[in-house]
């Protein structure tokens, strides 16, 4: 019985000793075990470690360079944008009178109290990069202009330039019109769009002279010279072989060319 109790006490003592030894090892005692994980790399491990370090360090250096280049180039781009000259500056005379500037060079406030057909005053301001002076040669930015309160398409025909058409008949009854695109001259100020469509009478010329056609009709009209000159070949041949319609056709053509009813075959006006 005493031997059995001694054996149990010995087993408990061994269990306690084993538990203490495991606890000692897990706590880092003895200078072994965990130190193996912290050892310096050797051979291939060193090469792998250097590659890992290089791979991780390259993005960092590239990112740092990008930050440096961006911070360096940002003022350069800002300076380029600030020094860029707008396209409208080429239309603006330097150091000229502000009141004579083209409309593309200024910004004006609409005067809603102006009366149609009456003189009105508009407050204007020059656009950036535009320099102008007043009557005393003093540079100014804010100024006023005087103009008639009317739309651009209501201006006189001398105040705008329109496209011409060479496809319509100028000598016809009724006189033909064509769709033209008109642009207001630079020194003229008006309300609304400066480019507008307008129906105009055909008014182009092909180089034919009224005086020459009339002279040929009086002198050689019996042979169809006037019709040949105007480009009307069929009528000219008819007058030639009929001897001017026995003189009757000749007299009629003198009257028609004299009043301008018969004109060039291409439909243009006389010079």
């Amino acid at each position: 019985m005493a031997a059995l109790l001694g054996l149990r006490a010995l087993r408990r003592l061994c269990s306690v000793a084993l538990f203490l030894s495991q606890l000692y090892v897990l706590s880092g005692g003895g200078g072994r075990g965990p130190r193996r994980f912290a050892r310096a790399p050797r051979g291939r491990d060193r090469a792998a470690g250097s590659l890992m370090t290089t791979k991780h360090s390259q993005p960092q250096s590239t990112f740092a360079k990008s930050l440096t280049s961006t911070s360096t180039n940002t003022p350069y781009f800002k300076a380029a944008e600030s020094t860029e000259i707008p396209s409208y500056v080429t239309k603006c005379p330097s150091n000229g009178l502000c009141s004579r500037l083209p409309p593309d060079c200024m910004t004006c406030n609409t005067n809603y109290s102006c009366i149609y057909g009456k003189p009105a005053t508009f407050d204007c301001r020059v656009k950036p990069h535009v320099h102008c002076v007043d009557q005393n040669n003093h540079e100014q930015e804010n100024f006023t202009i005087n103009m008639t309160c009317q739309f651009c398409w209501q201006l006189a025909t001398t105040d705008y330039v329109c496209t011409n058409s060479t496809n319509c008949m100028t000598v016809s009854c009724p006189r033909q019109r064509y769709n033209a695109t008109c642009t207001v001259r630079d020194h003229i100020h008006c309300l609304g769009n400066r480019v507008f469509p307008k129906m105009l009478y055909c008014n182009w010329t092909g180089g034919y002279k009224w005086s020459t056609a009339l002279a040929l009709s009086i002198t050689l009209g019996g042979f169809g010279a006037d019709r040949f000159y105007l480009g009307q070949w069929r009528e000219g041949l008819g007058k030639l072989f009929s001897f001017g319609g026995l003189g009757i056709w000749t007299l009629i053509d003198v009257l028609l060319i004299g009043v301008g009813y018969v004109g060039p075959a291409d439909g243009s006006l006389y010079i």
Side-chain angles (χ1 to χ4, degrees):
M1 189 67 179
L4 184 58
L5 292 175
L7 184 59
R8 289 180 177 177
L10 183 59
R11 287 179 179 177
R12 290 179 180 177
L13 184 61
C14 291
S15 300
V16 172
L18 181 60
F19 173 77
L20 292 176
S21 63
Q22 291 178 354
L23 182 62
Y24 179 76
V25 171
L26 292 176
S27 63
R32 296 179 182 180
R35 284 190 180 181
R36 293 179 182 178
F37 297 98
R39 62 186 176 86
R42 298 178 183 178
R44 295 180 180 178
D45 295 338
R46 288 182 179 177
S50 63
L51 288 175
M52 291 177 64
T53 305
T54 304
K55 289 180 180 180
H56 285 289
S57 61
Q58 284 179 353
Q60 293 177 357
S61 61
T62 305
F63 179 70
K65 290 180 180 179
S66 65
L67 287 178
T68 305
S69 61
T70 303
S71 61
T72 304
N73 294 336
T74 299
Y76 173 76
F77 288 117
K78 286 184 178 179
E81 291 178 356
S82 61
T83 57
E84 184 179 357
I85 300 177
S87 59
Y88 61 80
V89 176
T90 57
K91 303 179 183 179
C92 308
S94 180
N95 295 326
L97 289 177
C98 295
S99 58
R100 299 291 295 176
L101 285 176
D104 293 337
C105 306
M106 65 180 73
T107 303
C108 298
N109 298 326
T110 304
N111 186 356
Y112 294 99
S113 61
C114 71
I115 302 174
Y116 171 74
K118 301 293 183 180
T121 302
F122 293 80
D123 296 327
C124 302
R125 179 183 179 87
V126 295
K127 291 184 178 180
H129 303 283
V130 178
H131 303 280
C132 63
V133 296
D134 56 8
Q135 298 292 342
N136 299 323
N137 204 24
H138 295 155
E139 186 173 356
Q140 61 178 357
E141 295 183 357
N142 300 315
F143 57 95
T144 59
I145 59 172
N146 299 318
M147 69 178 189
T148 304
C149 183
Q150 62 181 352
F151 291 99
C152 295
W153 59 270
Q154 296 171 324
L155 293 171
T157 55
T158 56
D159 294 336
Y160 53 83
V161 180
C162 300
T163 57
N164 206 348
S165 175
T166 58
N167 298 324
C168 59
M169 299 290 293
T170 57
V171 182
S172 62
C173 186
R175 191 176 176 184
Q176 291 186 1
R177 295 172 178 257
Y178 70 99
N179 290 320
T181 301
C182 302
T183 304
V184 182
R185 299 184 184 275
D186 289 339
H187 64 281
I188 302 298
H189 299 277
C190 56
L191 302 177
N193 296 327
R194 299 185 62 81
V195 179
F196 53 90
K198 198 165 188 178
M199 291 289 294
L200 299 178
Y201 285 109
C202 298
N203 59 353
W204 65 285
T205 178
Y208 297 94
K209 292 184 178 181
W210 173 81
S211 59
T212 302
L214 183 60
L216 290 175
S217 181
I218 295 173
T219 58
L220 300 174
F223 301 98
D226 51 353
R227 294 284 182 165
F228 286 126
Y229 172 73
L230 296 176
Q232 301 175 5
W233 296 96
R234 290 178 298 180
E235 292 81 354
L237 291 174
K239 291 182 69 175
L240 177 62
F241 290 109
S242 66
F243 299 101
L246 300 177
I248 299 176
W249 195 348
T250 302
L251 294 176
I252 294 175
D253 274 356
V254 171
L255 295 175
L256 295 179
I257 293 176
V259 298
Y261 183 80
V262 174
D266 58 3
S268 62
L269 290 175
Y270 288 113
I271 296 177

